[in-house]
Amino acid sequence: MRQVPNVHEAEPIPTAARAAIDDLLQSGDLFRYNAAQDAPVSLLEREFADMIGTKYALAVSSCSAALFLSLKALGLPRDAKVLIPGFTFAAVPSSVVHADCVPVLCEVGDNYRVNMADFAAKLDGVQAVIISHMRGHTSDMDAIMALCDARGIPVVEDAAHSLGTTWNGQNIGTIGKVGCFSFQSYKMINAGEGGILITDDADLVARAVIMSGAYEHAWKKHKGPHGDNSTDLVDAFARWQNKLPLYNLRMSNLSAAVIRPQIPELMRRVRDGRTNHDYVAARLNGSAYIAVPDKLDPELRAPDSIQFNLVGMSDDETRAFADVAAANGVKVQVFGLSTDNARAFWNWQFLGDVPELPQTRAMLMRACDVRLPVRLTKDECDVITDILLEAAETVMGPVPAYGT
Ligand SMILES: *Cc1c(COP(=O)(O)O)cnc(C)c1O
């Protein structure tokens, strides 16, 4: 039998992390605000901001924490409406609820991107927008920013799964007012848990820093782009000292020590992930039963998984496709076909009345999710692709030969 690659195994953490962790174990200096300067978390914030091209970065315990802090730092009043895509991870509506705001869901098309007509129609009365680049699929950021800028509505980018993606050559996460990334193990940089918030806004980052748990004068260890405490930043911290609750969502030095040596690996991971994805996508698109949606023109993707839609299959055939693939060793998750998928909006019952989104629902019922770790070789990609193509033919019969 073919050797099916294990797609759940992570890439090893670069060995440079070991020395840094050893030092931390030796000194016991795990809290980010102990050292007078250059704590691993502070160094990570500077390195990440420089790499991505923003003035400020705040490392926290998760992307969910970064999203929550973004909404709090925007100063949204209780019950403010926050527009989010109907296709995202449950952490996104959860962060809105956590911030005492009310999520408004908009439709997502069968290319996994925000439906711009529905987005525009739902924008009135909304006080902030979170654009979730779900599975790294970028919605039309030009159209979104034009609509939101015209109304003065701040945009938070949930770029949890988009690190390394660009839009018109600009890094994803730097287009809105705030960008949030995840270091959870299934993302491009893996620390088990962790997140980071980026922005160019001194006032916003000062508020987020204090609320993340920089009590008393710990904020003095947060620096501007040139390592100095710019007056903008110092003034902002002075404005907010003692005025905000402390939610304690800090990152530990241990996490930063695991993350920092992975930053130089990022561009290689992005390149390899894109090569694997585009190769598998081209092969899958050769089947009449499978469609991998095109990316939008300005977008250069950084995928570590592949999503595709089943074409012309009933619910039963869709289930049978996933079963046959699983029997041959490839796990296919159809977003809408399990009772507990955290990316199906009807499972977000904690929201109370979940509105119906017919277009998003139809997409979720045929959209498949397959992990495609960046470390896979071309042969391993072929094994996965063959199993998927064979599963479609097993269920639907041989693809009709055109032109004969
Ligand atoms: C992983 C993920 C999150 C949550 O990130 P955590 O760091 O686990 O909180 C949010 N949004 C998207 C799109 C994600 O992929």
Side-chain angles (χ1 to χ4, degrees):
M1 193 173 146
R2 301 174 277 216
Q3 186 69 35
V4 184
N6 178 346
V7 294
H8 294 280
E9 222 165 55
E11 184 174 300
I13 306 299
T15 47
R18 298 211 178 141
I21 290 168
D22 252 3
D23 286 349
L24 288 172
L25 296 185
Q26 194 62 41
S27 64
D29 206 0
L30 306 183
F31 183 53
R32 67 163 297 169
Y33 292 126
N34 263 1
Q37 58 189 32
D38 293 342
V41 180
S42 301
L43 295 174
L44 165 65
E45 288 169 343
R46 190 69 266 137
E47 289 158 2
F48 196 91
D50 289 346
M51 172 192 73
I52 207 95
T54 51
K55 285 192 188 159
Y56 310 110
L58 169 65
V60 289
S61 53
S62 68
C63 181
S64 299
L67 290 168
F68 162 74
L69 284 171
S70 301
L71 297 176
K72 296 305 277 183
L74 285 169
L76 299 176
R78 182 175 286 272
D79 294 332
K81 288 184 181 168
V82 178
L83 189 56
I84 65 170
F87 174 45
T88 181
F89 186 54
V92 175
S94 302
S95 72
V96 178
V97 171
H98 190 189
D100 294 321
C101 296
V102 179
V104 176
L105 274 47
C106 80
E107 289 271 28
V108 171
D110 62 8
N111 66 352
Y112 319 131
R113 289 157 175 91
V114 167
N115 173 321
M116 288 311 304
D118 197 50
F119 181 86
K122 287 180 173 159
L123 212 46
D124 279 340
V126 158
Q127 287 179 267
V129 164
I130 299 180
I131 294 299
S132 194
H133 305 299
M134 186 54 178
R135 286 290 188 271
H137 298 284
T138 310
S139 294
D140 185 344
M141 289 308 290
D142 295 342
I144 288 167
M145 292 312 296
L147 284 165
C148 291
D149 285 347
R151 289 166 177 77
I153 301 174
V155 174
V156 176
E157 285 184 80
D158 167 19
H161 216 149
S162 281
L163 183 55
T165 302
T166 60
W167 176 264
N168 288 321
Q170 184 178 350
N171 279 319
I172 279 299
T174 66
I175 298 171
K177 196 172 180 67
V178 197
C180 301
F181 296 88
S182 174
F183 301 122
Q184 185 264 346
S185 288
Y186 283 167
K187 314 299 158 107
M188 207 48 103
I189 290 182
N190 163 25
E193 301 284 359
I196 200 161
L197 173 163
I198 57 165
T199 184
D200 281 336
D201 187 314
D203 203 64
L204 192 145
V205 80
R207 288 170 55 86
V209 162
I210 291 174
M211 286 189 278
S212 76
Y215 58 90
E216 295 163 357
H217 279 71
W219 58 260
K220 286 190 175 161
K221 291 174 182 166
H222 288 266
K223 310 280 185 187
H226 309 293
D228 54 22
N229 263 322
S230 68
T231 28
D232 280 1
L233 203 53
V234 173
D235 289 352
F237 281 123
R239 241 185 333 270
W240 294 109
Q241 181 87 65
N242 299 339
K243 302 231 170 55
L244 297 167
L246 306 171
Y247 295 105
N248 283 5
L249 301 164
R250 294 172 301 249
M251 178 181 277
S252 147
N253 278 338
L254 274 177
S255 300
V258 172
I259 293 165
R260 291 180 61 218
Q262 295 182 62
I263 290 181
E265 304 294 318
L266 179 63
M267 289 328 292
R268 173 193 52 83
R269 290 182 183 174
V270 167
R271 238 182 357 255
D272 291 353
R274 190 185 301 146
T275 303
N276 282 350
H277 174 277
D278 291 355
Y279 175 71
V280 172
R283 284 200 62 204
L284 291 180
N285 271 332
S287 164
Y289 305 123
I290 297 180
V292 184
D294 288 335
K295 70 177 189 65
L296 302 185
D297 269 347
E299 183 189 11
L300 207 48
R301 302 196 61 230
D304 59 5
S305 63
I306 188 163
Q307 290 71 45
F308 53 88
N309 298 323
L310 297 176
V311 180
M313 291 195 197
S314 66
D315 283 1
D316 285 346
E317 286 160 346
T318 300
R319 278 194 193 90
F321 167 79
D323 290 346
V324 173
N328 288 300
V330 174
K331 182 160 182 270
V332 176
Q333 182 165 235
V334 183
F335 291 107
L337 275 188
S338 65
T339 56
D340 57 357
N341 194 299
R343 300 149 200 91
F345 63 86
W346 56 87
N347 288 332
W348 304 338
Q349 291 169 19
F350 54 86
L351 295 181
D353 274 343
V354 186
E356 185 48 32
L357 300 169
Q359 188 185 28
T360 309
R361 180 183 289 267
M363 176 274 285
L364 291 167
M365 295 305 280
R366 294 294 175 272
C368 300
D369 192 22
V370 173
R371 286 177 51 75
L372 213 55
V374 305
R375 61 175 167 70
L376 295 189
T377 63
K378 187 161 177 274
D379 286 348
E380 290 173 322
C381 288
D382 275 326
V383 171
I384 291 174
T385 313
D386 288 344
I387 289 170
L388 294 172
L389 292 171
E390 287 162 20
E393 293 208 11
T394 303
V395 172
M396 300 298 284
V399 179
Y402 294 109
T404 55

